[in-house]
Amino acid sequence: MRTRQLGSSGLRVSALGLGCMGMSDFYKTGFDEAASIEVIHRALDLGVTLLDTADMYGPFTNEELLGRALKGRRDQAVIATKFSIVRGEDGSWKGLRGDAAYVKQACEASLRRLGVDTIDLYYQHRVDPNTPIEETVGAMAELVAEGKVRYLGLSEAGADTIRRACAVHPITALQSEWSIWSRDVEDGPLQAAREHGVGIVPYSPLGRGFLTGAIRSMDDLPADDYRHNNPRFAEEAFEANMAIVRGIEAVAARVEATPAQVALAWVQARGDDVVPIPGTKRVKYLEQNVAADDVRLTADDLSALDALSDRVQGLRYPDMSLIAR
């Protein structure tokens, strides 16, 4: 697989990463550790190096899963994990923390669960409104100095926060939702990131599965799947957003690719500093996603896909208050 450098940091990773969240949380279709480890191993075999997790996925169990999968293969992976969304052992939500003491506490816990000495890319998952970003990034920078973390990242941060963070310590990556139907990162954060040599790691590049065309009605999702609470999957929005899927399918037919591959190729075409991290629990879909790296979209294809963004109905989260602070 081709590689890309995340901004000006020097961190080089595969042009497409693997999001591991769904292997342990949120998508309630049954969690199979053996199958998930098979996916991770196949990803490494295919040259996928960037593996993304977070302490709150599970909660806590996704890091442990990734740690077990990487035993004997640690040197093949770039491990990215996150902190700041605080959850209890029972899965309850306990708010955000970005204070210095918590940054260090969270890092130690993640190192232990992953079974590694160093985290390659450490993100603040969401910005804590009660803690100055300078304090948070300052504590993260101390982790770099101690050798516990190699590179720093922010997730869903606003333009001003990115600039302030970069004044404290170089930021390697901004992880934000970015896809054909989620483009608000382009309204400020993207420019700020590129001004400071920050690479972009889009999560949910397949629109939580919607843009693949595999979900034709809400009946295709398990009753306890969290997407039932997502505004874009709500009944009226769902029907309107299917027009976007049909547009992607039309391009896919022209270029002889799957809709998922077209959606990923669109994201990759946003720039050489962009590394999307689609998630999957199945080897078949992993292999299809990796093959998107070979899909080439023409200017007309990209223009047609760009136009679909105007048709999006519904917010991307029920509560957008934690986004782009």
Side-chain angles (χ1 to χ4, degrees):
M1 184 170 212
R2 292 180 299 165
T3 62
R4 290 184 168 187
Q5 181 171 298
L6 284 176
S8 59
S9 67
L11 178 60
R12 184 163 286 277
V13 298
S14 51
L16 188 104
L18 174 63
C20 298
M21 178 191 78
M23 297 174 180
S24 305
D25 213 348
F26 299 107
Y27 299 106
K28 304 295 187 179
T29 54
F31 303 121
D32 185 330
E33 176 163 322
S36 295
I37 290 176
E38 182 183 7
V39 169
I40 293 168
H41 286 173
R42 182 61 177 146
L44 295 173
D45 293 341
L46 293 169
V48 175
T49 60
L50 181 60
L51 305 179
D52 185 89
T53 182
D55 57 3
M56 59 86 75
Y57 298 158
F60 317 121
T61 57
N62 197 241
E63 287 182 325
E64 294 172 343
L65 168 67
L66 184 57
R68 286 191 288 272
L70 291 179
K71 284 187 176 178
R73 305 188 70 168
R74 171 67 179 95
D75 60 345
Q76 295 177 256
V78 173
I79 298 175
T81 193
K82 316 177 198 72
F83 73 94
S84 81
I85 300 178
V86 186
R87 295 181 72 182
E89 293 286 347
D90 60 354
S92 58
W93 303 89
K94 298 182 177 297
L96 300 175
R97 284 188 64 181
D99 57 281
Y102 184 75
V103 172
K104 296 184 177 183
Q105 172 189 330
C107 180
E108 293 294 342
S110 288
L111 289 168
R112 184 175 64 254
R113 285 188 291 264
L114 288 162
V116 299
D117 297 321
T118 305
I119 294 166
D120 298 305
L121 178 55
Y122 199 41
Y123 292 99
Q124 182 180 22
H125 206 160
R126 293 291 186 271
V127 177
D128 176 4
N130 299 313
T131 304
I133 192 64
E134 290 81 2
E135 176 180 341
T136 304
V137 176
M140 295 168 74
E142 291 180 13
L143 296 173
V144 175
E146 294 168 5
K148 295 176 180 177
V149 169
R150 293 176 62 210
Y151 297 96
L152 305 184
L154 301 174
S155 181
E156 291 287 7
D160 182 59
T161 298
I162 294 167
R163 294 186 177 103
R164 289 167 55 198
C166 289
V168 177
H169 188 278
I171 301 298
T172 291
L174 172 68
Q175 184 174 138
S176 292
E177 186 171 354
W178 199 7
S179 69
I180 291 170
W181 79 344
S182 294
R183 299 184 61 177
D184 41 325
V185 69
E186 298 173 25
D187 298 329
L190 179 63
Q191 179 182 355
R194 285 177 166 163
E195 284 174 2
H196 293 277
V198 179
I200 316 298
V201 178
Y203 72 86
S204 293
L206 299 177
R208 298 172 180 81
F210 194 93
L211 304 181
T212 68
I215 304 169
R216 310 309 287 197
S217 80
M218 291 305 290
D219 292 336
D220 294 329
L221 300 178
D224 55 355
D225 190 298
Y226 92 110
R227 285 170 288 188
H228 283 283
N229 298 316
N230 187 286
R232 291 189 178 171
F233 287 77
E235 186 173 356
E236 291 184 6
F238 188 103
E239 293 305 319
N241 289 330
M242 280 303 298
I244 299 172
V245 174
R246 289 190 288 272
I248 295 172
E249 289 173 336
V251 173
R254 287 201 300 272
V255 302
E256 298 183 338
T258 69
Q261 289 168 341
V262 167
L264 290 172
W266 180 91
V267 176
Q268 288 184 305
R270 300 299 95 186
D272 291 338
D273 58 348
V274 178
V275 179
I277 51 168
T280 184
K281 295 184 286 186
R282 297 175 178 83
V283 168
K284 176 177 75 170
Y285 296 131
L286 167 73
E287 292 174 342
Q288 289 180 8
N289 291 345
V290 168
D293 194 42
D294 296 322
V295 174
R296 298 293 178 267
L297 300 175
T298 67
D300 287 343
D301 293 332
L302 292 169
S303 179
L305 295 168
D306 287 345
L308 299 175
S309 302
D310 296 334
R311 304 185 186 184
V312 180
Q313 297 293 316
L315 297 174
R316 55 191 179 95
Y317 285 105
D319 178 5
M320 291 289 288
S321 65
L322 302 182
I323 303 300
R325 283 178 163 150

